[in-house]
Amino acid sequence: MSGFVRVADVGDLRPGRTRAIEVDGQHLLLCHAGDVICAVADVCTHDRGPLGEGRLRGATIECPRHGARFDVRDGSVVALPAVRPLATYPVRVVDGAVEVELETVP
Ligand code: FES
């Protein structure tokens, strides 16, 4: 599958909250980080912790397992013990719908 896929309505998402979704067998996490909606892989790069159970503060999500933190805008590591960035996915909003492209951002 390629191209953008509708995954939610904007109204389904609340600022500061996340929503786990599955698209084409991939587990993603939509993050409403205030003024931007981001999509990242819903698995921590440290030891596969469930990021969807973590807390989103601003644009930073914290893994509930060992406390690694990531910037959901670009997947970069903000705090150890993770050292590898999260996969991120392009997001767009069209007519109130949130769409995600499954190709990861390099
Ligand atoms: S699994 Fe996420 S910090 Fe260890």
Side-chain angles (χ1 to χ4, degrees):
M1 182 184 291
S2 64
F4 282 88
V5 177
R6 181 179 181 147
V7 295
D9 291 329
V10 171
D12 295 336
L13 306 174
R14 295 190 321 195
R17 305 301 280 255
T18 63
R19 182 184 181 101
I21 59 171
E22 182 177 345
V23 184
D24 198 26
Q26 297 187 53
H27 296 273
L28 309 184
L29 192 65
L30 294 177
C31 302
H32 194 320
D35 57 352
V36 65
I37 296 172
C38 306
V40 299
D42 189 12
V43 60
C44 180
T45 61
H46 174 239
D47 192 26
R48 304 189 59 76
L51 283 178
E53 297 174 17
R55 177 172 291 189
L56 181 66
R57 290 192 182 103
T60 301
I61 193 159
E62 181 174 317
C63 178
R65 189 168 289 170
H66 307 111
R69 296 200 304 273
F70 302 88
D71 188 321
V72 297
R73 295 170 296 190
D74 61 7
S76 61
V77 176
V78 176
L80 298 173
V83 294
R84 288 179 292 119
L86 288 177
T88 60
Y89 300 82
V91 175
R92 69 183 184 187
V93 175
V94 178
D95 295 332
V98 179
E99 298 182 346
V100 172
E101 188 174 38
L102 292 179
E103 299 293 325
T104 58
V105 177

